[in-house]
Amino acid sequence: MYRVLIADDEPYIRDRVANHMPWGEIGFEVVGITESGEQALDLFHSVKPHALLTDILMPGMSGLQLIQTIKEHDPRMKLMVMSAYDDFKYAQQAMRLGVKGYLLKPIIREEFVELLQMVADELHQEVPELGRQAAPSGCGEHAAKPGNAYIRLAKSYIEEHYEEKLRLEDVAEFVYMNPNYFSSVFKRDMGLSFVDYVNELRIRKSMTLLLQTDEKVYEVSMQVGYNNFSYFNKLFKRKNGVTPQVYRELGRSGMKAQGASS
C-alpha cells in the first residue's frame, strides 16, 4: 500500500477526507493526519509517506510552505492540495511547486478518486513492488483524467489571449507544464487537441462578431486571431457550411446556416 499523509486545520475536513474516502480501494493507507504544517513536517520525517494531501491555508506554516520544504527533502514526493478557494493565484503557485492536483472543497468524491488513481499510477511505475501489493482498481489505460486545475488555468489564459498569436508552448509555460505532457492532458480532458480547441473558440467568437457588428469580414478575422484571411475562411466554412459573408447574410435575414447552432 502507498502511504499518504493528510494536513488540514479543519476537524470536519480531516475526518471526511481521512475516513470517508476510498483510500484502500485505490491502494493507499493513511499513515498520518495533522492539523498544521509543522506537525505534518514532523510526521513526514517519521512515517516517510509516498504522498501528501494538504490544505493550502493553515495557521503557521501554510500548505504551500509545507510543500516547498518537503520538496527540498524528497523531490519525488507526490504532492496534492485542497482548498476552499478557487483562486488562480493559489492554483498557479501550487502548480509551480509541482503538485499533482488541486481539489476544491467541498471535495467531490469522483474528483478525489480521479486524482488519487492518477497518483497511484505514477507510484506504480516508480515503486512497482508496492504497486503489486496495492493493485489499485481503475488504474492503467483507463486511468482518470489528471490536471483539472491546470486545464481551468489554461482555458482562462486562452480566453484572454485568443486574439493573439497563441502557441501551445506559451500556454504550457503559463501553467508550468511540459508542452508535450500539457498537450496530452489537454486533449484527454477537453476531447479536442489544443489547436482544435483554439480554432473552435475563435470561430465561435467570429460568429458573434459577424452578426452583432458591422466590421468587415477580414477585420473580424484579424480580431479573433487570424491574420491569414484565406485560412479563416476555410476554417469557418468547414464548421458552418458557408463562408463568413454568407453566414452574416443568412443570419441577418433570419435564416440559419448549416452548423450554426453549435
Side-chain angles (χ1 to χ4, degrees):
M1 299 287 277
Y2 303 122
R3 299 184 297 277
V4 64
L5 175 62
I6 300 169
D8 195 295
D9 62 316
E10 299 178 70
Y12 169 76
I13 297 295
R14 288 200 307 273
D15 175 70
R16 181 168 185 268
V17 172
N19 300 313
H20 300 280
M21 290 294 177
W23 294 101
E25 296 175 22
I26 306 171
F28 285 89
E29 174 189 8
V30 177
V31 294
I33 310 168
T34 74
E35 62 182 16
S36 73
E38 291 84 357
Q39 291 178 6
L41 191 56
D42 288 341
L43 270 177
F44 163 75
H45 291 296
S46 60
V47 302
K48 301 188 184 307
H50 298 96
L52 167 74
L53 176 59
T54 179
D55 188 17
I56 282 187
L57 297 180
M58 296 184 290
M61 177 182 282
S62 72
L64 295 177
Q65 291 171 323
L66 172 64
I67 286 171
Q68 180 67 62
T69 304
I70 285 179
K71 272 180 64 70
E72 293 171 1
H73 288 88
D74 185 358
R76 298 179 304 170
M77 180 83 156
K78 305 303 177 185
L79 304 163
M80 302 166 284
V81 296
M82 50 186 169
S83 176
Y85 302 92
D86 189 8
D87 189 316
F88 285 159
K89 177 184 69 176
Y90 291 130
Q92 192 174 17
Q93 289 175 341
M95 291 169 194
R96 188 183 304 146
L97 292 172
V99 301
K100 294 300 178 182
Y102 186 105
L103 295 171
L104 283 178
K105 300 177 184 178
I107 293 174
I108 299 171
R109 184 184 178 93
E110 289 77 10
E111 291 185 0
F112 171 89
V113 171
E114 286 185 358
L115 173 59
L116 268 295
Q117 285 184 340
M118 187 264 290
V119 171
D121 263 356
E122 291 191 6
L123 285 168
H124 179 62
Q125 299 298 318
E126 298 169 13
V127 196
E129 66 276 11
L130 281 180
R132 286 192 292 271
Q133 296 172 27
S137 62
C139 297
E141 67 173 306
H142 299 297
K145 300 173 183 177
N148 292 338
Y150 295 82
I151 300 308
R152 285 201 300 272
L153 273 174
K155 287 171 63 180
S156 176
Y157 184 90
I158 293 167
E159 182 72 30
E160 293 178 7
H161 297 274
Y162 71 88
E163 305 103 322
E164 306 167 13
K165 183 177 180 181
L166 197 59
R167 303 184 312 146
L168 180 146
E169 291 80 5
D170 298 328
V171 183
E173 181 181 2
F174 177 75
V175 297
Y176 300 95
M177 292 179 73
N178 172 276
N180 290 334
Y181 182 57
F182 169 74
S183 176
S184 173
V185 170
F186 190 94
K187 185 170 185 178
R188 200 181 327 173
D189 274 20
M190 299 305 301
L192 290 171
S193 70
F194 172 81
V195 171
D196 287 343
Y197 178 85
V198 172
N199 282 333
E200 288 273 345
L201 174 64
R202 286 172 167 168
I203 296 300
R204 287 200 309 272
K205 297 288 187 182
S206 74
M207 291 162 67
T208 300
L209 289 171
L210 286 166
L211 297 182
Q212 296 183 1
T213 76
D214 292 320
E215 301 282 354
K216 297 184 183 300
V217 176
Y218 77 85
E219 293 173 335
V220 169
S221 172
M222 295 180 68
Q223 284 185 37
V224 297
Y226 295 115
N227 291 326
N228 185 327
F229 177 68
S230 297
Y231 182 59
F232 167 67
N233 227 34
K234 178 181 178 181
L235 287 177
F236 193 98
K237 186 172 182 180
R238 183 187 303 164
K239 176 174 174 59
N240 294 293
V242 295
T243 64
Q245 183 61 42
V246 172
Y247 175 84
R248 168 179 272 173
E249 293 168 359
L250 289 174
R252 292 184 175 181
S253 68
M255 300 177 66
K256 184 175 290 187
Q258 171 191 340
S261 60
S262 56

